[in-house]
């Protein structure tokens, strides 16, 4: 692979499917920088708002839910509130700018946050979606969160509803639908390690690296 060639992998995922672990492993496989919550830091730097403000709106389509927490959300300069595009679309633009900037600087693996849409005009991009059986996801969430299966189920339902609404609103596409991705794969059917291997092989073949 040429040194100036950037490999971009965008990972969409169902909650509890192991997408975060898969994303990290793919980043290691391709010597890429992994971006999940790290994107919130980058977006905060771009905008002047605090990271916590972006966390409150992260992959949620609730317009400015943290508005009542404004003094906590604003960064070092309160004038940012008036100078910047203080709206859900404005926050999405700051985050999108951070994604594009990172992709221009080197190989990256992005977890969620509509990166597949944001980078739709970039070269050497592979968009994947990680799914898993409901039982697998409930067990995974319950174990990691230390909660009962019933509570894990509610977290999955609420989290995926917000994630889908956010993605569909900003991309005009359908979250989780096969036509939105290059590859969809069930991690519960073959395990995390094998899922990573198959995705890695797909990336190499698609991008010829």
């Amino acid at each position: 692979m040429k040194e100036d060639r950037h490999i971009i992998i965008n990972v969409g995922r169902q909650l509890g499917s192991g997408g975060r672990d898969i994303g990290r492993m793919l980043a290691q496989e391709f010597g890429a920088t992994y971006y999940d919550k790290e994107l919130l830091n980058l977006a905060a730097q771009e905008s002047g708002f605090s990271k916590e403000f972006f966390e409150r709106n992260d992959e949620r389509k609730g317009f400015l839910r943290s508005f009542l927490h404004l003094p906590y959300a604003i960064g070092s300069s309160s004038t940012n509130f008036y100078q910047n595009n203080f709206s859900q679309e404005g926050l999405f633009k700051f985050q999108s700018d951070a994604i594009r900037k990172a992709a221009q600087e080197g190989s990256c693996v992005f977890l969620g946050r509509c990166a597949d849409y944001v980078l739709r005009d970039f070269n050497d991009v592979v968009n994947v979606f990680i799914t898993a059986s409901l039982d697998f996801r409930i067990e995974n969430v319950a174990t990691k969160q230390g909660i009962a299966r019933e509570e894990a189920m509610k977290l999955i339902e609420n989290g995926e509803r917000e994630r889908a609404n956010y993605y569909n609103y900003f991309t005009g596409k359908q979250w989780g639908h096969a036509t939105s991705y290059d590859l969809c794969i069930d991690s519960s059917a073959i395990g995390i390690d094998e899922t990573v291997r198959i995705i890695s092989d797909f990336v190499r073949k698609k991008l010829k690296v």
Side-chain angles (χ1 to χ4, degrees), residues 39-51 54 80 84 90-102 104-105:
L39 281 173
L40 305 183
N41 279 327
L42 295 179
Q45 292 169 15
E46 291 285 330
S47 67
F49 293 112
S50 72
K51 175 186 174 184
F54 284 88
N80 284 325
N84 288 327
L91 297 180
F92 182 76
K93 182 181 184 303
F94 288 130
Q95 186 168 270
S96 298
D97 289 344
I99 290 171
R100 282 188 286 265
K101 182 177 180 181
Q104 289 168 350
E105 293 177 349

Side-chain angles (χ1 to χ4, degrees), residues 12-45:
R13 75 288 185 210
Q14 286 188 304
L15 205 156
S17 65
R20 181 170 283 109
D21 292 335
I22 290 168
R24 289 196 185 99
M25 293 167 74
L26 287 170
Q28 185 176 13
E29 178 74 17
F30 289 95
T33 303
Y34 174 74
Y35 290 99
D36 180 9
K37 295 293 185 181
E38 294 82 0
L39 281 173
L40 305 183
N41 279 327
L42 295 179
Q45 292 169 15

Side-chain angles (χ1 to χ4, degrees), residues 3 15 18 40-41 47 51 123 130 136 189 201 207:
E3 291 186 2
L15 205 156
L40 305 183
N41 279 327
S47 67
K51 175 186 174 184
N123 297 321
I130 313 299
F136 177 92
D201 287 347
L207 302 183

Side-chain angles (χ1 to χ4, degrees), residues 10-157:
N10 300 313
V11 180
R13 75 288 185 210
Q14 286 188 304
L15 205 156
S17 65
R20 181 170 283 109
D21 292 335
I22 290 168
R24 289 196 185 99
M25 293 167 74
L26 287 170
Q28 185 176 13
E29 178 74 17
F30 289 95
T33 303
Y34 174 74
Y35 290 99
D36 180 9
K37 295 293 185 181
E38 294 82 0
L39 281 173
L40 305 183
N41 279 327
L42 295 179
Q45 292 169 15
E46 291 285 330
S47 67
F49 293 112
S50 72
K51 175 186 174 184
E52 288 77 10
F53 185 79
F54 284 88
E55 287 177 339
R56 289 175 180 271
N57 291 274
D58 190 25
E59 292 191 296
R60 299 183 179 92
K61 188 189 155 289
F63 288 82
L64 297 178
R65 292 183 180 187
S66 49
F67 183 82
L68 295 177
H69 302 277
L70 185 59
Y72 172 69
I74 293 296
S76 58
S77 174
S78 61
T79 58
N80 284 325
F81 173 74
Y82 303 100
Q83 293 173 349
N84 288 327
N85 183 10
F86 193 80
S87 66
Q88 191 81 19
E89 287 78 7
L91 297 180
F92 182 76
K93 182 181 184 303
F94 288 130
Q95 186 168 270
S96 298
D97 289 344
I99 290 171
R100 282 188 286 265
K101 182 177 180 181
Q104 289 168 350
E105 293 177 349
S107 296
C108 302
V109 173
F110 295 102
L111 189 71
R113 296 171 181 83
C114 303
D116 58 315
Y117 175 76
V118 173
L119 301 176
R120 62 195 180 280
D121 296 326
F122 276 59
N123 297 321
D124 297 328
V125 174
V126 176
N127 302 315
V128 303
F129 190 83
I130 313 299
T131 186
S133 69
L134 181 57
D135 188 66
F136 177 92
R137 291 186 287 130
I138 291 174
E139 185 64 29
N140 199 10
V141 170
T143 299
K144 288 188 175 181
Q145 298 285 341
I147 57 179
R149 287 176 61 88
E150 292 77 10
E151 187 176 353
M153 179 64 188
K154 291 180 181 178
L155 282 177
I156 290 171
E157 290 177 345

Side-chain angles (χ1 to χ4, degrees), residues 60-63 87-90 92 114 117 162-175:
R60 299 183 179 92
K61 188 189 155 289
F63 288 82
S87 66
Q88 191 81 19
E89 287 78 7
F92 182 76
C114 303
Y117 175 76
E162 290 182 336
R163 193 172 287 176
N165 287 341
Y166 180 89
Y167 181 91
N168 297 349
Y169 178 81
F170 283 109
T171 69
K173 301 193 296 180
Q174 186 174 348
W175 179 80

